[in-house]
Amino acid sequence: MIAAHGGNTKAVSVYGQESEPATYRLCKMNLAVRGISYNLGDNDYKKTNKVQAMKFEEML
């Protein structure tokens, strides 16, 4: 995905949710270390689905 944007991590934003606290923290750390913009919500996946109404270029 980064390569498709010319290797520019600033041209990519990651949105998502995760129900496992440890995975949530690892994901945030991984994206921050790579300088990738992200919005992972506040780890309340079981309460609300915040990305349901959004449109995405790619989904994993």
Side-chain angles (χ1 to χ4, degrees), residues 11-60:
V12 175
S13 291
V14 176
Y15 295 84
Q17 291 181 284
E18 175 57 52
S19 61
E20 292 296 325
T23 307
Y24 176 80
R25 289 189 303 271
L26 284 170
C27 183
K28 284 180 70 171
M29 179 193 68
N30 193 353
L31 293 167
V33 165
R34 287 167 173 71
I36 299 172
S37 172
Y38 62 88
N39 180 346
L40 303 178
D42 54 5
N43 199 24
D44 66 349
Y45 179 75
K46 294 176 183 174
K47 294 178 189 174
T48 61
N49 185 348
K50 295 186 182 202
V51 296
Q52 183 175 7
M54 298 176 81
K55 293 186 180 192
F56 298 95
E57 184 178 317
E58 293 186 36
M59 290 187 83
L60 304 173

